[in-house]
Amino acid sequence: MILYDYYRSSAAYRVRIAIALKNLFVERRPVHLLRGEQRDPGYRAKSPLAIVPTLELDDGTLITQSLAIIDYLDALKPEPPLLPRDAVLAAQARAAALTIACEIHPLANLRVIEALQGEFGARDDQIAAWRRRWIAEGLTAVEALIAPAPFAFGAAPSLADICLIPQVYNARRFDVSLDDCPRIVAVDAACAAHPAFMEARPEAQPDAE
């Protein structure tokens, strides 16, 4: 399998965590978003939206979208599971993950920022305020959803942690205060000590700058 990846992409970061948790070997091929490599015709043929990540299976089958890729990996190698066994906890973990992946991430990703700048003339300070607003609002909601023990929904990492940690990385990168999110900070600390999360960190990737 090949993962088309970018070290700072939070969506790709999620998939790297899942790969590490599953202890799978996946070849990585970086796609540098700031250089526009995602728009190269060869890559766009793999990812019609010109985004990362994309997972290419050994037979050439392509899977896009981080949560779809993670779901495939969980089916491919069921242990350890990426959702709690309890049906209610599993639904709650999925809800927290979707809050991040669907309600926070799309509003501050590169495609949206480029449109705000290029098409609507947003200044750098306005872009910064835009990012902080949506990240802070979303994480406030996630804070109310999770119950650290020590991970977001129990003693083992789940899809919620996989989505949360890259978003915490973005919050710190863009100077979003986590002072009102003690549960998130506690989960982040638990994940920071876990080998899979350490392996997936942006700074640990070969394409990190």
Side-chain angles (χ1 to χ4, degrees), residues 105-195:
H105 173 252
L107 291 165
N109 71 12
L110 182 61
R111 295 166 64 238
V112 169
I113 297 306
E114 287 178 340
L116 290 173
Q117 293 171 323
E119 297 177 34
F120 300 101
R123 303 185 309 269
D124 288 348
D125 62 315
Q126 292 173 320
I127 294 295
W130 171 273
R131 279 189 170 121
R132 286 195 295 268
R133 171 186 174 178
W134 297 116
I135 293 173
E137 184 174 306
L139 289 182
T140 298
V142 174
E143 174 75 7
L145 294 174
I146 63 174
F151 298 100
F153 288 95
S158 72
L159 183 63
D161 305 277
I162 288 171
C163 290
L164 177 58
I165 296 313
Q167 196 57 65
V168 171
Y169 170 85
N170 281 346
R172 290 185 170 129
R173 180 182 170 202
F174 297 122
D175 297 320
V176 177
S177 174
L178 297 174
D179 290 348
D180 294 329
C181 298
R183 295 178 182 179
I184 288 175
V185 171
V187 169
D188 181 61
C191 291
H194 192 292

